[in-house]
Amino acid sequence: MNYGKIGKMKYIEELEHGDCFSHNNQKYLLTADFKSSGDRLCYNLINGSSSWMKSNSMVDVCPIYTLDDNNNISPVKQTKNVSHQTQNLS
């Protein structure tokens, strides 16, 4: 099993509220709040503090998982699986 880096680098502006990410060795949750400058409000999952981050900050997406009653792993937030397959339009 691979326990390496599972995230994907993205700009904060590409994330949806409720997404979790890593930035400067800290884990954050992105909220729906934003400023007119584009800054986004994020909560630190380690210490509970809030901070405004620039929308063009590069972050590492890191989903959070939980265990159900049968110890099955499931994501806290469901993500969309986007297929990048080429379709034949002819």
Side-chain angles (χ1 to χ4, degrees):
M1 187 172 267
N2 182 3
Y3 292 104
K5 191 173 185 181
I6 59 171
K8 179 179 179 184
M9 295 298 288
K10 288 188 173 186
Y11 292 107
I12 287 181
E13 64 189 11
E14 297 177 290
L15 303 179
E16 296 178 2
H17 53 273
D19 285 346
C20 294
F21 62 91
S22 176
H23 182 68
N24 292 336
N25 297 320
Q26 296 289 312
K27 305 286 190 252
Y28 293 92
L29 171 72
L30 182 66
T31 72
D33 294 335
F34 61 93
K35 291 182 178 181
S36 59
S37 64
D39 292 0
R40 303 289 303 267
L41 181 62
C42 306
Y43 287 108
N44 186 311
L45 295 173
I46 307 302
N47 61 27
S49 65
S50 63
S51 59
W52 291 97
M53 294 192 180
K54 299 285 183 198
S55 61
N56 63 353
S57 298
M58 286 295 290
V59 297
D60 187 26
V61 178
C62 57
I64 296 177
Y65 297 91
T66 187
L67 296 176
D68 65 14
D69 293 337
N70 296 320
N71 286 331
N72 295 313
I73 299 172
S74 63
V76 171
K77 182 180 183 218
Q78 297 292 325
T79 57
K80 300 174 191 171
N81 287 334
V82 179
S83 176
H84 295 286
Q85 296 175 339
T86 305
Q87 295 180 348
N88 186 355
L89 300 177
S90 56

